[in-house]
Amino acid sequence: MKWILLAGAILSEVTASLSLKAALDNPAFFVVVVIGYTASFGLLAGVLRKGLGLGAAYGIWAALGVTLTVWLAAIIFGEAVTPMMLIGVAMVIGGVLCVELGSHEEPAQEPAHAMARS
């Protein structure tokens, strides 16, 4: 269920972001912007309640949000997708993978001097 909520949060955020661009020409889209961002943060909170870690949830939300927004803005609004942008998107996704994979490693031991103070 947490992955369905996360997908909903991502799609809501991307919809809101794209609507923000559309609202420049048609202010009625600001309603979609407000609803989309409100839904996105509400769904993201639901993901956290379901137990997905904040670093992983926010990272996946942000990385997929950026990736979808770049591609959909190119398709819908004719915005350019440059090689540098593709490198940036790949780096964002790579960073999120590092955070997610790192979250499954054993936690570091507390330094001995910190334990002595306890």
Side-chain angles (χ1 to χ4, degrees), residues 14-90:
V14 170
T15 300
S17 296
L18 294 170
S19 296
L20 189 57
K21 172 87 174 189
L24 297 176
D25 294 328
N26 183 352
F29 276 98
F30 281 118
V31 173
V32 179
V33 172
V34 172
I35 292 169
Y37 283 131
T38 302
S40 183
F41 284 109
L43 290 165
L44 189 58
V47 169
L48 299 177
R49 273 192 222 90
K50 293 288 183 186
L52 190 59
L54 178 60
Y58 183 75
I60 293 167
W61 178 73
L64 290 179
V66 166
T67 303
L68 286 172
T69 301
V70 165
W71 287 114
L72 290 174
I75 292 166
I76 296 168
F77 301 115
E79 292 189 357
V81 178
T82 66
M84 186 62 75
M85 290 172 70
L86 295 176
I87 291 169
V89 167

Side-chain angles (χ1 to χ4, degrees), residues 2-22:
K2 62 186 167 189
W3 297 109
I4 293 170
L5 292 173
L6 185 57
I10 293 164
L11 293 175
S12 298
E13 189 266 336
V14 170
T15 300
S17 296
L18 294 170
S19 296
L20 189 57
K21 172 87 174 189

